[in-house]
Each structure stands twice: as structure tokens, then as C-alpha cells.
Amino acid sequence: MKQFIKTDPWKLVETTFHPEYHANSESIFSIGNGKMGQRANFEEDYSGDSLRGNYVAGIYYPDKTRVGWWKNGYPEYFAKVLNAVNWIGLHIKINGELLDLNKCEILNFERVLDMQHSLLKRRFTARLANGNEVSVEAVRFYSLADDEIGALSYTVKAENFDGKVEIESYLDFNVVNQDSNYDQRFWEPISQEINGDYGQVKSVTKKTNFIVACGMHNSLFVNGDRTEAGKEVTEQNQLVSHKFSLQVSQGDTITLEKIISTVSTFYYEADQMDEACRKNVERGVAKGFDALKKEHALKWEENWTHYDIEIEGDVSAQQAIRFNIFQLNQTYTGKDDRLNIGPKGFTGEKYGGSTYWDTEAYCLPFYLSTAPQDVARNLLLYRYKHLGKAIENAGKLGFNSGAALYPMVTMNGEECHNEWEITFEEVHRNGAIAYAIFDYVRYTGDREYLIDYGLEVLIAISRFWAQRVHFSQVKQQYVIHGVTGPNEFENNVNNNWYTNFIAKWCLNYTSEIMEEVKTKAPQKYTALLGKLNLNETETLNSWAEIADKMHLPEDKERGIYLQQEGFLDKEIIPVADLDPKHLPIVQNWSWDRILRSCYIKQADVLQGLYFFEDQFSKETIKRNFDYYEPITVHESSLSPCVHCILASAIGNEEKAYEMFMRTARLDIDDFNNDTEDGCHITSMAGTWGAFVKGFGGMRVQNDQLSLAPFLPKSWKGYAFTIGFRGHWITVKVKPDAITIINKEGGPMQVTLHGKDLTIQEGENILAHALH
């Protein structure tokens, strides 16, 4: 672990510059607003190791898949979120010497991420090679209130010298992706322009033809007074700049305020972009930096009232849970059903910025409870609108009759993952898409979604499962061979319990919803059957037989479900008995050794017990948890959160707290030695779930919110706010009592530790003593 970040309830604070951890800091100090985001790169030149990254939502490139062999159905490309225009860039010279912290003596340094207001701040004092000392204060943000605008303020103070200071503020579209398979450049230049007040660059992506334009305005102040001293303009290929040269005296301060706008053909027609970009910049300049910052900060403060979690007595946990919530909300705002949540969000290039099953399995519950209902609904509509592509994907693998296999990784509905054991075998992802529909309807009560959209998706997924199984004459049951379960340290296995179980559940749930829609909307139901060319009786009978005879491997002697057939043939050695030098095993062992081992990357059987907890006894969950958790290395970011929730459910409070802190501080402390590539955004939703579903015991049962909170021993109290079917409540937990506050939405029924309560709007109920 790398524990160099100071604890603070609302901030990440780095008080010493660690060049060896700089890429980590660039990840965890990232900022964004749902439309744009960027890593915490330095504004001024930095010649040390750095992963420069500025990303624009919806913009990607289909990078040709790089493999040494090819199989039918293999995706032709891997989608890449693209590093876009570098707008924060500044060249700063002090008496001819370039300011570069990799070549300076750093006298003091502080980098701060203000999570309450989404402001990235930095201050330092540096001595250059010529002996001149400068102090710098910088603050920047992507506006949440005006989401096509970004702004930067950068102040330089002459500490011990008189002389010449040069500041060149630029836009540079000569950018590359570190993860390009063939070192390609993904952008082609279109135009650049620069004049006294405004500069703009514009480029187009190769193949996908997305156009992105970025415009800027720079204002310079000396000791608080605006100046145009020594201003020059520069125009090169895809780079424009305003350069200021001026004489200063010791103690003088120079402040550059830079306001930019980035627009793309994701939202504008190509012939509208120049005007839109210029108008956005003009609007930002008219407001001014301080006003932009104020409205942005107020928007964040307002939003925090819906999703903040307060923890008393553990600043490390408090900082971590807010960090997770913050990163989620600057990644996805839910305004556009064409967008989704990439595993790295706007914090790095790894995983291509694409959509995984993480969204349905982990992220959806967060947005269900903390945002308006249409935000979660848009996540489901994203998949509905990709249904045609999912059917095409299944067709490429030999499935027919309208069967759908949703992609493991996608930008536009096409599969673009480039590892065969994932692309072809990790078919359980289909189950997560179906489960998300169930989860959404259970939480919101929006059964109209099933009629208009959901059932069509469910039928296509169930058609896939019906073709993916085969009947075993030996077992006299249906089986599923050649899969990878959620535990990606096992490939090409037969009868993965989780995959078989969720396939069985999908078939039953789809049949149940078909009957419901048939009753509630018979005309739409008949039209849908016609559209899908579905024989109702034949289909339902077939699905019922498959579900009834699905093979679910188990060991009755131990009372556990088997992760897959043959799992007990492995040598079972607990992780605690491994020499720590082997961890993480994915970075220290060969793949052959990993595949032969018993070690589990993330919840697999336990993923199914988490999803379908109400179908299993607490004793069954505990037996499986106690067997599988000790051999789980948690080397997927998605692992600790599920284990926290289940540990809480079975009363293992110590393990629940351990798993919560691991998921919550995963990136801040770099548990898995990979934060430099970007933060684990989708697992952060799991962190929220670990808290609210784990410690808070939040479930939906019988169309009603149910709570069963407990307080970790080291905490003095906590509070969280959640929305449910138009209501907003705050739950406060103390050592001796639980208080529930009904903030809005009218009277509300809540179950607390098994007891039904009615809470009037505006009422605070001291509801229950902790036991």
C-alpha cells in the first residue's frame, strides 16, 4: 500500500511531492463533470513520469485488436476512450529558466482535492537552477453548473528576484494515448485559430469521425490589475497559444485566468460547433472565474445533500466514502442515455473507458438510491437501445432466433473485448443485465418499464440461455460448459454455479414477467410476441423444463455450492498461509499457476448469494462465505464490497469493517498496486453498497424499504440519506439509538429490524435502540 495521502473529512491532501507516486496522484486527484474529465496533471511543464489525460464523454476510437491468432466471432477492435486536447497547459519561464518540478528544488508542496466543491488546488514553492524562487497557487475545475466549461486560475509570485516572467497558455491537440496498440495517433487536425482574445483547436477522430473543438480565453493580472503586457499569439499545427512577457519585482504576483469550452459532435452538428464553443467561452468570460467557481461549488453542495454519508470517529473511513461518492458523481450524471460508466471513468485509459457488467451489478443500486429515478432508468435504456447489437453479437457466435448476448465490453453495443476467455466465455454478464431490470423495478415500482422495454430484453436474454445449455444424458440435467464465471482466475470451466443459477433465474423471471405483461397489457404483449416471432406455449414449456432441471453443483457434505465442477480437486490453501511477497498474485505468478490454484479473484458463488440473498438461509450464506472468503485474494476491485455486504448479513462485523475499508480506500492507498492506471470507478458504487446495504442493512422487501443498521465498534455514529419512490429519508445511527428522518415525499412505511414503522413527512423518529 501507498499511504502518503493525509486524512481529512472533505479533502484529499498531499503535503509532500512524491515523484514516484505522481501517476497515482494524477489518478486520485482527477476531476470531471459527467461530460468531461481529466487526470490531475500539472499545468506547467513536467519532464518526469506522467500519464497525461483529458477525456470527453462519448468519444472513442476502435483500435484494431492486437492478437497473434484469430477465431470466428472475435471482435475486430478494442474501443479506446481518447486522450483529447490538453487545455490546461502552461509554459512558464523565470528569467529564461523553464519551471519544471522535475528539475527544481521543491521547498514546499501541497496538492488538495476539495471533494465538497470539486476543486483541484495546488500550491508550491520551488527554487530553479538559476536560484530564482517562485511560489505558485493553482485551482481548476470542470463546471457542474455549466457543463461545457472548464476554468483555471494560476498565480505565480516572485519570491526573491526581479526580472522577466514569461507565461504561455496554450491549447494542444497533438495528443496520444499511452495504450495505443500500434502507437497510432487517433486524431486528424481540422483547424486552429488564434487572436487577441480567443483561441481554438479542432480535430476529428479517425474511423469514428467524432469532431471535438476546444476554445479558450486568457486574462492576466499583475498584483490584481488586468494587463495585456507583452501579449503575443502563436499558431502551429493543432496548437495555439497566448504568450505574456513582463518585468516583475520581488513580491509581485501574476495571475492567469483561463476559461475554456469543449464541445463535440456527440451533442452538436459539425457546422454548429465553432459558434457553440465561442459562445460558451464568451458566457464564461462574462461571468468571470470567481462567479463560475461559486456557481459550480454551490451545485456540488446542493447535490451532496442527496448522497452524503457522515461517519463519526473514523476520519480515514469518512474521507474514503466521500472520495468514492465524489468520483461516481463526477463520472456519470445520468442526463444522457447514450452514456454509461466506464470502470476508470475520466481518470485513465485502462479498460478503454467502455461499459462492462459492472454498471448493472454494482452501479445501478447507487443511482437508484441517490438520484432521480430517470438517472437509473437511463442506464437501463442504454442496454435496451443496444439490444439489436446484442442479438448481432450472439449471431456471430452461432446463436439464432433472436437470442441476445450483451457484450462484455462496449461503447456502442458491439463487443470489443480482446481476450477470448472473457469475450466468448464470461456469459454470466447477460444475467446481470436481466438482474438490473429486476432490481430497478423492485426498487422503483416502475412496472411500466417492463411493458415498454424490459420484457423484450428479458426474452432475448432467455433465448440465449435456452440455446447455451445442453442436456447431459449422464446427469439427466441441463448443463453449461466452457464458461468463465465472475472469478476470472478460472477459465473454460464446466457448470460454474453462479452462471447456471443466474441462467435458471433468468428463465423463471422472464416467464413470470411474460404472464404479468400478458395480463396488464394484452395488446402490447400480443404485438411483442409477433415482433419477436415467439411461440408462447412452446417457449414457456421449454424454459420451465430447463430451469427445473438445471444442474447446480454442490458439496452436500460441506454444505456449500461448488464454484464449478472439480473445484474440490484443487489444493486448498488459505490466502493467510501465502507469503505476502506473492501478492498480488496476478502481478507475481504465471497465468498457468493462477489457473491451477484455488485462489479466487472476486466473489463468484458469493456473487450469487448476494444477488439472491432472500432465496438462501443465513446458515447457507455463512457456510459458503466461511469456505470461499479465506481463499479469495480480492484482486478485483469489485470483490471487497460484496464480501462486506455478506459479512454484515451473517453478523461477522469485524470482517465487514475490514472489507469496507479495503474497498473504500482501494485507490487512495493503492491496495492492488494499480491506481496509477486510473481509479476503479465502478467498484466505488460497490463501496457505497457496502456501507448502505452492509452497515445500514438496506433492502427492499414487499415493496417497502427495510433497514437493519449496526455500528462498527470503532465508530461513534454515522448517517446516510437515500431516496425511495419519491421519498427522501436520512438514517442516523448512534451507539444507543437509530433515528429516521422523513425529509420529503409524504408518509412512508419503513421496516426497521423487522418492525414496521410509519413516518410522516418532516417527522424525526427515535426509532430503535441498537442491540
Side-chain angles (χ1 to χ4, degrees):
M1 293 193 296
K2 302 177 178 69
Q3 295 178 309
F4 64 97
I5 301 298
K6 304 300 181 184
T7 55
D8 181 279
W10 277 109
K11 299 172 182 176
L12 297 186
V13 182
E14 183 182 7
T15 56
T16 302
F17 181 47
H18 299 272
E20 69 276 24
Y21 300 154
H22 181 51
N24 289 61
S25 294
E26 289 180 321
S27 295
I28 62 177
F29 286 82
S30 294
I31 57 172
N33 66 1
K35 273 192 176 179
M36 305 176 284
Q38 62 184 200
R39 291 170 59 81
N41 307 127
F42 291 166
E43 294 87 357
E44 73 280 354
D45 289 270
Y46 181 69
S47 58
D49 289 339
S50 173
L51 173 58
R52 301 206 68 87
N54 181 55
Y55 311 105
V56 182
I59 308 302
Y60 69 95
Y61 176 84
D63 200 11
K64 184 178 179 181
T65 298
R66 187 170 192 170
V67 293
W69 52 270
W70 202 268
K71 298 294 183 184
N72 288 336
Y74 204 81
E76 296 182 1
Y77 67 89
F78 183 66
K80 299 286 179 69
V81 62
L82 297 187
N83 186 15
V85 56
N86 174 16
W87 67 263
I88 63 172
L90 303 174
H91 297 310
I92 298 174
K93 290 185 177 180
I94 309 297
N95 284 323
E97 187 78 23
L98 186 69
L99 178 60
D100 177 349
L101 291 189
N102 194 47
K103 299 178 179 178
C104 296
E105 180 184 357
I106 301 174
L107 304 179
N108 58 66
F109 179 93
E110 182 181 68
R111 175 162 32 191
V112 175
L113 179 62
D114 175 353
M115 298 180 289
Q116 189 175 17
H117 305 107
S118 188
L119 298 171
L120 175 59
K121 304 175 182 180
R122 190 165 55 103
R123 63 180 63 178
F124 63 85
T125 302
R127 181 181 294 122
L128 283 70
N130 59 13
N132 294 166
E133 295 178 11
V134 294
S135 292
V136 170
E137 291 193 18
V139 58
R140 72 178 191 253
F141 58 91
Y142 266 128
S143 176
L144 192 65
D146 199 337
D147 62 10
E148 291 178 341
I149 287 179
L152 160 69
S153 174
Y154 193 97
T155 297
V156 179
K157 182 179 180 181
E159 291 289 356
N160 69 343
F161 67 89
D162 301 334
K164 186 179 182 181
V165 174
E166 299 167 80
I167 299 180
E168 184 175 9
S169 174
Y170 60 87
L171 301 175
D172 185 6
F173 228 134
N174 293 290
V175 293
V176 296
N177 267 51
Q178 189 179 74
D179 67 351
S180 169
N181 281 340
Y182 294 92
D183 298 321
Q184 287 179 291
R185 289 182 178 266
F186 300 140
W187 296 95
E188 293 279 8
I190 294 179
S191 64
Q192 64 271 333
E193 62 172 296
I194 185 76
N195 56 42
D197 294 314
Y198 181 75
Q200 179 183 296
V201 291
K202 184 164 59 175
S203 290
V204 60
T205 60
K206 297 177 180 178
K207 296 185 181 180
T208 45
N209 294 316
F210 291 111
I211 300 174
V212 172
C214 184
M216 71 172 176
H217 180 280
N218 293 286
S219 301
L220 195 72
F221 302 85
V222 177
N223 298 325
D225 296 324
R226 177 78 183 270
T227 180
E228 296 281 323
K231 187 174 182 180
E232 302 175 11
V233 297
T234 301
E235 179 178 348
Q236 301 175 24
N237 181 39
Q238 285 302 278
L239 185 148
V240 297
S241 70
H242 288 131
K243 182 178 179 181
F244 302 87
S245 301
L246 58 162
Q247 295 294 318
V248 299
S249 300
Q250 182 177 349
D252 284 348
T253 61
I254 307 166
T255 299
L256 178 85
E257 291 182 353
K258 185 174 189 176
I259 294 171
I260 68 96
S261 174
T262 300
V263 297
S264 75
T265 47
F266 198 75
Y267 290 102
Y268 293 94
E269 296 296 327
D271 60 0
Q272 298 174 340
M273 290 180 57
D274 291 346
E275 181 182 7
C277 192
R278 183 182 288 272
K279 283 186 174 181
N280 287 343
V281 172
E282 289 173 351
R283 184 175 65 255
V285 172
K287 291 179 180 179
F289 180 86
D290 290 339
L292 284 171
K293 185 175 77 168
K294 182 178 180 180
E295 68 178 14
H296 162 74
L298 287 174
K299 185 66 175 176
W300 270 96
E301 286 185 10
E302 175 189 339
N303 286 358
W304 275 108
T305 63
H306 291 291
Y307 45 63
D308 189 25
I309 290 176
E310 298 177 78
I311 299 173
E312 296 180 47
D314 191 336
V315 178
S316 180
Q318 177 68 89
Q319 178 188 51
I321 190 62
R322 282 180 171 148
F323 172 70
N324 284 254
I325 294 170
F326 167 77
Q327 288 289 355
L328 282 164
N329 282 287
Q330 68 173 9
T331 300
Y332 182 76
T333 61
K335 295 178 181 179
D336 191 330
D337 63 23
R338 297 173 299 169
L339 298 176
N340 210 281
I341 307 152
K344 294 294 183 182
F346 294 121
T347 70
E349 300 172 8
K350 194 174 181 180
Y351 304 124
S354 303
T355 304
Y356 285 64
W357 68 290
D358 306 19
T359 293
E360 287 74 25
Y362 300 90
C363 297
L364 181 69
F366 171 77
Y367 293 102
L368 280 171
S369 294
T370 64
Q373 181 175 315
D374 61 337
V375 172
R377 202 171 199 263
N378 277 345
L379 289 173
L380 268 63
L381 286 172
Y382 176 90
R383 294 295 193 180
Y384 175 77
K385 292 182 177 183
H386 286 176
L387 178 57
K389 291 289 187 181
I391 292 171
E392 287 182 20
N393 291 336
K396 291 175 182 178
L397 301 186
F399 297 90
N400 52 47
S401 300
L405 176 59
Y406 276 91
M408 187 66 184
V409 178
T410 193
M411 280 288 194
N412 63 359
E414 293 178 315
E415 177 63 77
C416 60
H417 199 281
N418 56 10
E419 295 173 311
W420 66 268
E421 69 275 15
I422 307 301
T423 305
F424 297 151
E425 295 197 337
E426 203 162 339
V427 293
H428 70 81
R429 61 195 186 250
N430 249 14
I433 308 300
Y435 183 84
I437 295 171
F438 162 77
D439 202 18
Y440 168 81
V441 173
R442 175 177 59 176
Y443 199 92
T444 64
D446 179 13
R447 307 200 77 82
E448 291 298 312
Y449 184 84
L450 292 169
I451 296 171
D452 295 334
Y453 307 105
L455 179 56
E456 187 174 352
V457 173
L458 292 171
I459 288 172
I461 289 173
S462 291
R463 281 175 151 174
F464 169 83
W465 290 125
Q467 295 178 51
R468 188 61 172 81
V469 303
H470 71 271
F471 189 74
S472 166
Q473 293 295 336
V474 173
K475 290 182 169 64
Q476 287 294 295
Q477 289 181 303
Y478 286 92
V479 296
I480 305 178
H481 283 189
V483 302
T484 296
N487 172 26
E488 294 171 340
F489 287 172
E490 301 274 7
N491 304 146
N492 203 39
V493 302
N494 295 336
N495 295 312
N496 170 259
W497 181 87
Y498 171 75
T499 301
N500 287 23
F501 188 90
I502 206 165
K504 171 187 173 80
W505 172 85
C506 282
L507 294 168
N508 285 333
Y509 181 61
T510 303
S511 299
E512 173 191 325
I513 299 307
M514 285 175 67
E515 290 296 329
E516 177 182 331
V517 174
K518 180 179 180 179
T519 301
K520 290 184 176 180
Q523 290 183 330
K524 289 186 176 180
Y525 180 74
T526 300
L528 181 60
L529 294 188
K531 174 184 177 181
L532 302 180
N533 192 25
L534 187 73
N535 183 313
E536 178 185 17
T537 302
E538 181 180 329
T539 297
L540 290 176
N541 289 342
S542 172
W543 292 355
E545 181 188 4
I546 294 169
D548 184 57
K549 296 181 180 179
M550 183 70 76
H551 178 56
L552 298 171
E554 63 179 314
D555 183 282
K556 293 184 178 179
E557 181 180 339
R558 293 174 175 81
I560 63 170
Y561 302 114
L562 296 182
Q563 182 175 274
Q564 72 263 356
E565 288 185 340
F567 186 80
L568 293 181
D569 292 337
K570 292 176 176 287
E571 184 180 17
I572 306 299
I573 304 173
V575 176
D577 292 348
L578 275 180
D579 189 323
K581 72 181 183 182
H582 293 290
L583 300 174
I585 63 172
V586 75
Q587 296 176 14
N588 291 289
W589 284 10
S590 70
W591 196 245
D592 169 73
R593 187 177 182 183
I594 289 172
L595 290 175
R596 289 186 287 108
S597 79
C598 68
Y599 298 117
I600 299 171
K601 181 182 179 183
Q602 69 187 82
D604 197 304
V605 168
L606 298 185
Q607 182 75 35
L609 298 182
Y610 159 59
F611 270 175
F612 304 106
E613 177 187 16
D614 58 347
Q615 298 187 33
F616 303 96
S617 68
K618 183 174 289 188
E619 291 74 20
T620 297
I621 295 173
K622 185 177 187 305
R623 281 196 303 273
N624 282 274
F625 185 93
D626 290 346
Y627 184 83
Y628 285 110
E629 196 285 326
I631 54 175
T632 301
V633 290
H634 304 293
E635 290 181 17
S636 165
S637 63
L638 301 171
S639 186
C641 58
V642 172
H643 288 80
C644 174
I645 294 168
L646 291 179
S648 299
I650 62 176
N652 190 340
E653 297 181 7
E654 183 177 346
K655 176 60 71 172
Y657 179 78
E658 175 196 338
M659 291 291 98
F660 172 75
M661 291 303 290
R662 178 159 184 159
T663 183
R665 297 195 66 86
L666 180 77
D667 288 314
I668 298 175
D669 294 339
D670 197 13
F671 268 89
N672 289 344
N673 195 34
D674 59 0
T675 301
E676 64 184 14
D677 296 326
C679 296
H680 298 81
I681 302 300
T682 48
S683 77
M684 293 177 177
T687 301
W688 175 91
F691 189 102
V692 175
K693 293 184 177 185
F695 302 153
M698 190 271 282
R699 304 288 191 275
V700 177
Q701 297 172 341
N702 302 317
D703 285 331
Q704 189 168 299
L705 202 63
S706 176
L707 300 164
F710 76 89
L711 186 67
K713 291 179 181 179
S714 62
W715 294 1
K716 296 178 181 178
Y718 64 76
F720 62 89
T721 297
I722 52 176
F724 180 74
R725 300 191 182 185
H727 300 86
W728 286 93
I729 65 168
T730 295
V731 180
K732 296 185 176 182
V733 179
K734 292 283 191 177
D736 58 349
I738 301 168
T739 302
I740 302 177
I741 305 166
N742 185 354
K743 300 172 74 173
E744 64 178 81
M748 184 178 183
Q749 301 289 323
V750 177
T751 301
L752 181 63
H753 283 299
K755 181 180 179 181
D756 290 337
L757 302 172
T758 300
I759 310 174
Q760 301 298 320
E761 182 174 351
E763 185 178 14
N764 298 3
I765 291 185
L766 185 61
H768 201 282
L770 284 173
H771 55 81

